[in-house]
Every structure is written in C-alpha cells, then in structure tokens.
Amino acid sequence: MVRGPLTAGSHNAFFPHCSVGTATRHLGAGCHGRIEIGSHCVIEAHVNIFHPTGLKDGKGGIRQSCTRLGDRVYIMPYSNIGHDVVIEDGAEIAANLAGYVRIMRSAKLANGCCVHQFSTVGACAFLAMGTACRHDILPYCVLLHDRCTLDRVGLFKSGR
C-alpha cells in the first residue's frame, strides 16, 4: 500500500505487503509533510514507512517536514521506519527506527536493532544484531549492545 504525498525516483523495488505513507502510531498526529524516496531503493516485504508528523514551530503551529530515503537504500523485511526519519544514500536497514532518527550514508543496521527517537547513526557505522541504540553513534563505529568501538577495518577500506 502506497499513500501520498510521495515522491519516488526511478528503478525502485517495492515488494508485496510493504506499507508506505501510513499513519503513525501517535494518537491524534496528522500528516504534515511528504515522503521522498530516491532511486535504486529496495523496500522489502512487510516494511512500514510512516508519514511525517511535522515539526513544532514554537508558536503553536506545525511546520511541514519530510520522511526521506536517499539513493540505493535497502530496507529489509519487517523493518519500521518512523515518522520524519532521514536515511542517507547507501544505507542498509533491518531495524525499527523511531521518529526523527537520522541514518547517515552507508550505515548498516542489523536485524532486530531499535533506534531511539532523535538519534543519529553516523556514516559507515554498524549496529549489531539486536542492539538497542539510545544515543548518537559516531561515524565508523560498531555498536554491540552497550559497547561502542571504532571500526578500523571500515576506516581502512574507505581510505581514511
């Protein structure tokens, strides 16, 4: 099921039983924005991508916002992409992302990960299977449960 407002690039694959643009689980939250999906993305079966709920403007109103997936993003089966999430190019996601999460380029989130709202996962970072992420993760780091280490192999491969 696909609901708008939605903009999608070319060569995307939407598998059966995925749900894009459905209402978020926040009671009373409306759709205040759009969903943007880049090119060459794969959205596997049973994935939920929720519409944005907007940003409070400090004057009692709500500004429009965006749930955005970059190019070459791979969302694996049974993942949940919360409202107002930004996923940059080349990320691979098999996780549950809460609202307002940012996943930077080429980050990888293994099966069963949960990312807390307003968290940022850095570029080329890796979250191990079943990890609950409650804070920001620096680029080129590996998070395994409560231990965060530098990914020296990833740094070497990237030429840094």
Coordinates of all heavy atoms in Angstrom, one line a residue, residues 3 21-22 24 50-51 55 64 70 78-79 96 140 156:
R3 N 0.7 5.5 0.0 CA -0.2 6.7 0.2 C 0.7 7.9 0.1 O 1.8 7.9 0.6 CB -0.9 6.6 1.5 CG -1.9 5.6 1.6 CD -2.7 5.7 2.9 NE -3.7 4.7 2.9 CZ -4.4 4.4 4.0 NH1 -4.2 5.1 5.1 NH2 -5.3 3.5 4.0
G21 N 3.7 5.4 3.7 CA 2.8 6.6 3.9 C 1.6 6.4 4.8 O 0.7 7.2 4.8
T22 N 1.7 5.4 5.6 CA 0.5 5.1 6.5 C 0.7 6.0 7.7 O 1.7 6.6 8.0 CB 0.5 3.6 6.9 OG1 1.8 3.3 7.5 CG2 0.2 2.7 5.8
T24 N 1.1 7.3 11.4 CA 2.0 6.9 12.5 C 1.2 6.4 13.7 O 0.0 6.6 13.8 CB 2.8 8.1 12.9 OG1 3.8 7.7 13.9 CG2 2.0 9.3 13.4
F50 N 6.3 5.3 7.8 CA 5.2 6.2 8.3 C 5.4 7.6 7.7 O 6.5 8.1 7.6 CB 5.2 6.2 9.8 CG 4.9 4.8 10.4 CD1 5.9 4.1 10.9 CD2 3.6 4.3 10.3 CE1 5.6 2.8 11.4 CE2 3.3 3.1 10.8 CZ 4.3 2.3 11.4
H51 N 4.2 8.3 7.5 CA 4.2 9.6 7.0 C 4.7 10.6 8.1 O 4.7 10.3 9.3 CB 2.9 10.1 6.5 CG 1.8 10.2 7.5 ND1 1.8 11.1 8.6 CD2 0.7 9.5 7.7 CE1 0.7 10.9 9.3 NE2 0.0 9.9 8.8
L55 N 7.0 19.4 12.4 CA 7.8 20.0 13.4 C 7.1 21.1 14.1 O 6.6 22.0 13.4 CB 9.2 20.4 12.9 CG 10.0 19.4 12.2 CD1 11.1 20.0 11.4 CD2 10.5 18.4 13.2
Q64 N 5.7 21.9 8.0 CA 5.8 20.7 7.1 C 7.2 20.1 7.3 O 8.2 20.8 7.4 CB 5.5 21.0 5.7 CG 4.2 21.6 5.4 CD 3.1 20.5 5.5 OE1 3.2 19.5 4.9 NE2 2.1 20.8 6.3
G70 N 17.4 8.2 0.8 CA 18.3 8.6 -0.2 C 18.3 7.5 -1.3 O 17.4 6.7 -1.5
Y78 N 10.3 -6.6 7.5 CA 9.8 -6.4 8.8 C 10.4 -5.2 9.5 O 10.3 -5.1 10.7 CB 9.9 -7.6 9.7 CG 9.2 -8.8 9.1 CD1 9.9 -9.8 8.4 CD2 7.8 -8.9 9.2 CE1 9.2 -10.9 7.9 CE2 7.1 -10.0 8.7 CZ 7.8 -11.0 8.0 OH 7.2 -12.0 7.4
S79 N 11.0 -4.3 8.8 CA 11.6 -3.1 9.4 C 10.4 -2.0 9.5 O 9.5 -2.0 8.7 CB 12.7 -2.5 8.5 OG 13.7 -3.4 8.4
N96 N 14.1 -1.2 13.6 CA 12.9 -0.4 13.9 C 13.5 1.0 14.3 O 14.3 1.1 15.3 CB 12.2 -1.0 15.1 CG 11.5 -2.2 14.7 OD1 10.9 -2.3 13.7 ND2 11.5 -3.2 15.6
Y140 N 31.9 5.5 11.5 CA 32.9 4.4 11.6 C 33.0 3.7 12.9 O 34.0 3.3 13.3 CB 34.3 4.9 11.1 CG 34.3 5.3 9.7 CD1 34.1 6.7 9.4 CD2 34.4 4.4 8.7 CE1 34.1 7.1 8.1 CE2 34.3 4.8 7.3 CZ 34.2 6.2 7.1 OH 34.2 6.6 5.8
F156 N 39.9 1.6 7.1 CA 41.0 1.2 6.2 C 40.4 1.0 4.8 O 40.9 1.5 3.8 CB 41.6 -0.1 6.7 CG 42.7 -0.6 5.7 CD1 43.9 0.0 5.6 CD2 42.4 -1.7 4.9 CE1 44.9 -0.5 4.8 CE2 43.3 -2.1 4.0 CZ 44.6 -1.5 3.9

